[in-house]
Amino acid sequence: MEKYSSLEVIRTGLKQGEITCLSLVNHYLDNIEKKSHLNVFLEVYAEEARQRAEVIDAKLADGSAGRLAGMIVGIKDVLCLKDHGLQGGSRILDGFSSQFTGTAVQKLLDEDAIIIGRQNCDEFAMGSSNENSAFGPVLNDIDNERVPGGSSGGSAVAVQADMCLISLGSDTGGSVRQPAAFCGIIGLKPTYSRISRHGLIAYGSSFDVIGVFSKTIEDNALVLEIIAGADDFDSTVSQKDVPAYSAELSIGTQKKYKIAYLKETLHTEGLDSEIKERTLATLKKLKDDGHEVEEVSFPLLDYVLPTYYILTTAEASSNLSRYDGVKYGYRSENAEDLASMYKKTRTEGFGKEVQRRIMLGTFVLSASYYDAYYNKAQKVRRMIRDATKSLLQKHDFILLPTTPTAAFKIGEHSSHPLEMYLADLFTVQSSVAGTPAISIPNGNSREGLPIGLQIMADDFKEAELFAFSKYLLN
């Protein structure tokens, strides 16, 4: 077990006087420096974190500290922190500093968490391997020749490699769950609208959610409990009350569940045989423990990935139009007039994958193709959501592999975008449907690479998701 594997371990050490918040920050800063070759952090807030640690140590001494005192957090480079750099892993935001702090980050700070730095990611959260960052790829700590997954790869490796206790990432089509699987940790994508998106750089606005990386279910549940909820700055956020997730983790041991698994996910050519074996072994264990396990068919699975990419590229085309070199960020020095300034700034500032998705999105939104692609994809999205919800009304959970393969080698799919997109094959269903999902460790391959198990639940059933996940991990 890592020395600081959970907030409970940290709080015990703080209570007994074995550690302080300052020594804890220094511990993580030392690890960040020792493992700088992993290329995880784009910016480390070393002195700021130390100063904040001293303030929180004083609050602990007088009994006024918040619920997250002792929690050291890293944030993906798509989350706003006032007066700190924010680039979305892109050169087009060179020199930009955020003018405000996003709601989720502010809620962590209000409970005395310490933000230690911003983490590398695929440019504008577009990628499945963290190779699309303008600042170079992040390396998997288990095998430095392999990817950590994307787009929140830096956030996943930070937790995996003990550079912070918790990371906040973003998940549009699997960008928290897939890296969690590749790195052998826990990654949550909550229900769409559960967490305010205020302060999150927009990629696909009807898909984007803030997600949580952790080593324990308890920490993940506590963080969601604190950052979820209504927000005046986000008109799309849910007004539903936030349950005490961290206090409801025992419900998973008190009942027998009805569990579905999708036949199509376990009988696809692209699924690695070891991942299939591990998934089937988990299903058998659940059956042996008295749970009802049922194979179900989901014929719409073939349409999930194209639906996702049509709609997210369309939204990206619209959302990224604001980056033009006029008000902030990078501006081309080779411009001759206003039109060439726009063109050259965006050509030089955006990476190839972002350019590809903007062009695809612009195409599907064009007058000639709007009905054929965008409109039709919206209708198929509704069908996918309805079919997923129908399954979840009859079953407590849907279980499936998080990814079709374990972490692949850097460069393995770089020249084949379609191969890279297939890495999202099992995660996009939850994103298209808007339902919550979590990836938890499910053993290792014979090469020692982590394997992830994904669990999907119905809207706003995160409490049940956490409890069931804890039961599976015990």
Side-chain angles (χ1 to χ4, degrees):
M1 184 179 75
E2 295 283 352
K3 186 177 180 184
Y4 303 122
S5 59
S6 69
L7 185 60
E8 182 182 7
V9 171
I10 289 169
R11 294 303 292 264
T12 299
L14 289 169
K15 191 174 181 180
Q16 295 176 353
E18 296 170 357
I19 56 172
T20 62
C21 286
L22 181 58
S23 69
L24 194 62
V25 165
N26 286 328
H27 162 80
Y28 287 120
L29 290 173
D30 286 346
N31 281 350
I32 290 170
E33 188 174 348
K34 286 174 188 171
K35 298 187 177 183
S36 60
H37 66 283
L38 298 177
N39 198 28
V40 167
F41 280 89
L42 299 179
E43 191 176 357
V44 180
Y45 312 141
E47 286 311 308
E48 182 180 335
R50 288 189 179 107
Q51 291 168 12
R52 184 164 168 81
E54 290 178 344
V55 170
I56 294 168
D57 279 330
K59 293 174 81 171
L60 283 165
D62 66 22
S64 63
R67 297 171 68 195
L68 299 184
M71 180 176 281
I72 313 300
V73 180
I75 56 175
K76 183 178 178 180
D77 188 29
V78 292
L79 292 162
C80 293
L81 181 59
K82 187 177 180 181
D83 298 328
H84 292 73
L86 177 70
Q87 292 194 242
S90 179
R91 291 291 183 196
I92 207 159
L93 279 173
D94 277 353
F96 179 75
S97 291
S98 179
Q99 306 302 298
F100 64 94
T101 297
T103 299
V105 176
Q106 187 60 55
K107 286 182 175 182
L108 292 181
L109 293 172
D110 290 344
E111 290 290 346
D112 287 335
I114 297 171
I115 310 296
I116 203 165
R118 62 183 171 105
Q119 298 156 332
N120 201 352
C121 61
D122 281 306
E123 186 178 7
F124 286 104
M126 298 181 192
S128 305
S129 65
N130 222 137
E131 294 173 280
N132 293 333
S133 171
F135 306 100
V138 175
L139 311 183
N140 195 315
D141 192 40
I142 290 172
D143 179 348
N144 292 174
E145 293 183 357
R146 295 184 183 270
V147 303
S151 61
S152 309
S155 302
V157 174
V159 174
Q160 174 199 44
D162 198 33
M163 298 178 180
C164 58
L165 183 67
I166 295 289
S167 287
L168 288 191
S170 67
D171 191 311
T172 305
S175 288
V176 166
R177 291 160 288 153
Q178 188 240 26
F182 281 4
C183 294
I185 59 173
I186 296 162
L188 170 76
K189 180 201 91 74
T191 308
Y192 180 80
S193 82
R194 181 70 288 187
I195 301 172
S196 169
R197 290 182 295 113
H198 176 65
L200 170 66
I201 290 179
Y203 159 24
S205 300
S206 70
F207 293 80
D208 295 339
V209 298
I210 293 171
V212 185
F213 291 101
S214 67
K215 289 179 181 169
T216 69
I217 293 294
E218 288 84 353
D219 287 351
N220 212 299
L222 179 60
V223 170
L224 182 63
E225 186 178 320
I226 285 167
I227 66 176
D231 178 27
D232 292 340
F233 295 110
D234 180 1
S235 62
T236 67
V237 75
S238 172
Q239 302 298 309
K240 285 180 177 286
D241 291 339
V242 179
Y245 298 118
S246 59
E248 297 182 9
L249 295 176
S250 62
I251 61 175
T253 61
Q254 296 171 0
K255 62 177 286 189
K256 298 301 179 185
Y257 292 106
K258 190 171 184 181
I259 297 153
Y261 68 95
L262 306 184
K263 177 176 70 176
E264 290 81 2
T265 63
L266 294 180
H267 298 285
T268 179
E269 280 185 21
L271 179 63
D272 181 88
S273 60
E274 291 184 80
I275 293 179
K276 182 176 180 177
E277 287 170 19
R278 292 298 311 172
T279 306
L280 288 171
T282 300
L283 291 168
K284 182 180 183 302
K285 182 181 182 300
L286 286 166
K287 206 167 188 178
D288 292 344
D289 287 349
H291 301 282
E292 186 178 342
V293 178
E294 181 184 4
E295 180 182 84
V296 298
S297 182
F298 195 80
L300 290 171
L301 193 67
D302 287 343
Y303 302 98
V304 172
L305 208 57
T307 299
Y308 168 79
Y309 275 103
I310 287 170
L311 295 177
T312 56
T313 56
E315 293 183 14
S317 172
S318 176
N319 280 326
L320 271 63
S321 64
R322 71 192 69 177
Y323 306 113
D324 54 15
V326 175
K327 300 182 182 68
Y328 49 76
Y330 176 80
R331 178 183 294 182
S332 175
E333 296 178 354
N334 303 312
E336 298 165 358
D337 52 29
L338 185 63
S340 70
M341 190 270 285
Y342 287 147
K343 290 178 183 177
K344 290 181 183 293
T345 293
R346 289 168 66 80
T347 300
E348 296 166 15
F350 287 134
K352 294 299 180 189
E353 182 60 30
V354 172
Q355 290 180 27
R356 181 183 292 115
R357 297 196 194 194
I358 289 173
M359 291 175 71
L360 283 169
T362 304
F363 173 78
V364 302
L365 287 174
S366 62
S368 302
Y369 298 100
Y370 186 90
D371 284 336
Y373 289 99
Y374 183 77
N375 244 357
K376 190 170 288 185
Q378 288 286 26
K379 293 173 183 175
V380 176
R381 183 182 192 181
R382 169 54 68 175
M383 293 170 65
I384 291 166
R385 173 166 166 81
D386 288 347
T388 302
K389 293 274 291 176
S390 177
L391 282 177
L392 289 168
Q393 283 164 11
K394 300 169 189 170
H395 303 85
D396 295 299
F397 306 106
I398 300 172
L399 264 62
L400 63 163
T402 308
T403 58
T405 68
F408 45 86
K409 292 200 170 180
I410 292 171
E412 191 173 331
H413 300 309
S414 298
S415 56
H416 303 285
L418 287 178
E419 288 182 11
M420 189 72 80
Y421 296 168
L422 287 170
D424 300 332
L425 182 62
F426 298 148
T427 54
V428 291
Q429 180 182 351
S430 170
S431 298
V432 170
T435 55
I438 193 169
S439 178
I440 62 173
N442 193 30
N444 296 309
S445 71
R446 282 181 276 277
E447 287 185 271
L449 299 173
I451 291 171
L453 177 72
Q454 185 180 191
I455 311 161
M456 293 169 53
D458 205 355
D459 294 343
F460 302 103
K461 292 293 181 74
E462 284 87 357
E464 291 83 351
L465 202 56
F466 284 133
F468 183 59
S469 299
K470 185 180 178 185
Y471 161 75
L472 281 174
L473 289 170
N474 284 345

